[in-house]
Amino acid sequence: MTRTAQHPEPRQPSQERPDALWVPDALRGFPADELAALGHTPTEATYAAWSLARRGHGTDWLARHFDLSRDVAGALVRASQQRQAVKATDTPAPAAPDVIAP
């Protein structure tokens, strides 16, 4: 018995854009001042690179995939690492219970 694959009808992407593509927490720690000092005006690609820097991508990868200078990509990576360090220390760990119930 031969089966043919059923593919859904292709949909056109929505032309409507949300008012805010980036929520404030996603941009927390974004190095806007450092990028401005480098003469870089952030674009959607810069914000996408920031998102991936936060997920561990390095300077060379970001520079290559987003056509960024190494200085700009490096600024994103450094800022994302600082953000992670702050995030790791800004919420105290819950106290361990004295007795663990069986």
Side-chain angles (χ1 to χ4, degrees), residues 49-69:
W50 166 248
S51 177
L52 292 173
R54 289 179 38 227
R55 286 165 179 76
H57 288 279
T59 300
D60 292 333
W61 192 91
L62 294 172
R64 186 173 58 251
H65 285 84
F66 291 97
D67 195 28
L68 299 171
S69 71

